[in-house]
Amino acid sequence: MKFIIDRFDGVKKYEQTYELSIDEVKGKTLLSLLQHIKRTQDISLNFTASCRSAICGACAVRVNGHSYLACDTKMEELLEEYENPESFRISPLANFKVLSDLVVDWEPSIENLRKIKPTITPKEAFSEKKGCVQTQAEVDAIKKQWDCILCGSCASECNKLAADSSDYMQPFVFTHAFRAAYDSRSKDPLTHLKPAIANGLWKCVHCQECADRCPKGISSADDIA
């Protein structure tokens, strides 16, 4: 089986093909497959990974044009999804600047997260003694958004970013703005909403790709709406 990986050495982009037997593929996750290629065929292959537990979000890549969290994607599932193809193409996330092979630049995204001030300033009614008590309903209102692991899958699939990223932030940034603004403990929701609106909130094209590809089942489209 062939694995065609889109690569970048800092100067030129090119593709490289690696051949593996079906026995080398089965029983692995997408991440462990990349690690196997790096260990046995090409130590120069670059990709990012950390926790291997679908928590850190570092290992997201594209397979055949769609985003996947590599550590949480079983190769048997990909084989079934694509009906046992003769080859797979593995690429870096779209709508990010590529630094090296499958490694992308997160700094612009982090800057956008800073714009919406994702930490909250608690209401004056709260104190060290009283704490910041929430009802279950108040927790549930933002519980799903807390699951975002900043993997970038939603941004990679975003059609608005693909068309023009100059006036729009990544979908996950708006999800974190929603989480902070709708937190019942927050003193001023507008602290998070104003920068979200000023940086393209209403320019979402409602393609729903972010909701379709999020490995945690979060719909940034709903949060934007």
Side-chain angles (χ1 to χ4, degrees):
M1 180 174 289
K2 294 181 179 179
F3 289 87
I4 305 164
I5 300 182
D6 289 318
R7 304 196 61 182
F8 178 58
D9 63 6
V11 177
K12 67 179 185 296
K13 293 183 178 181
Y14 61 101
E15 63 180 42
Q16 191 159 350
T17 300
Y18 304 91
E19 294 195 23
L20 283 76
S21 69
I22 192 65
D23 289 336
E24 290 179 286
V25 173
K26 287 186 175 181
K28 289 182 171 64
T29 63
L30 176 56
L31 176 58
S32 61
L33 180 98
L34 288 171
Q35 292 171 327
H36 178 74
I37 292 174
K38 185 177 180 73
R39 185 173 61 252
T40 63
Q41 295 195 31
D42 189 351
I43 197 171
S44 72
L45 179 63
N46 285 328
F47 52 88
T48 53
S50 183
C51 73
R52 296 179 296 176
S53 302
I55 295 172
C56 74
C59 64
V61 294
R62 283 184 297 154
V63 177
N64 294 351
H66 299 289
S67 302
Y68 295 87
L69 194 61
C71 70
D72 201 35
T73 301
K74 296 178 176 64
M75 289 308 302
E76 279 91 343
E77 294 173 351
L78 284 178
L79 289 167
E80 182 179 355
E81 181 177 353
Y82 291 102
E83 299 178 343
N84 296 307
E86 293 182 359
S87 64
F88 283 104
R89 177 177 289 274
I90 304 176
S91 312
L93 294 177
N95 302 321
F96 286 83
K97 177 184 177 181
V98 179
L99 298 178
S100 175
D101 296 341
L102 304 177
V103 181
V104 298
D105 184 8
W106 267 86
E107 191 54 37
S109 299
I110 299 303
E111 286 300 319
N112 283 337
L113 280 168
R114 291 189 180 107
K115 289 176 184 177
I116 56 98
K117 298 177 175 61
T119 57
I120 64 170
T121 301
K123 295 175 180 176
E124 294 176 358
F126 297 127
S127 66
E128 183 178 347
K129 184 176 180 179
K130 295 180 180 179
C132 298
V133 179
Q134 289 180 293
T135 67
Q136 187 60 52
E138 290 169 338
V139 172
D140 291 343
I142 57 171
K143 182 179 180 180
K144 194 63 182 175
Q145 288 73 20
W146 273 110
D147 287 341
C148 176
I149 58 174
L150 299 177
C151 68
S153 293
C154 61
S156 179
E157 302 289 331
C158 178
N159 284 312
K160 166 55 184 165
L161 287 176
D164 183 5
S165 61
S166 65
D167 57 356
Y168 192 69
M169 297 194 292
Q170 293 79 4
F172 59 79
V173 178
F174 295 118
T175 283
H176 281 271
F178 177 98
R179 171 193 54 74
Y182 281 86
D183 192 316
S184 63
R185 301 166 296 181
S186 179
K187 181 179 181 180
D188 184 11
L190 291 179
T191 300
H192 319 286
L193 290 176
K194 284 183 176 179
I197 293 170
N199 287 277
L201 177 68
W202 302 126
K203 296 179 180 179
C204 170
V205 298
H206 309 293
C207 63
Q208 298 293 326
E209 292 289 346
C210 57
D212 184 53
R213 302 308 303 185
C214 177
K216 297 298 182 179
I218 301 166
S219 174
S220 289
D222 286 348
D223 298 336
I224 292 167

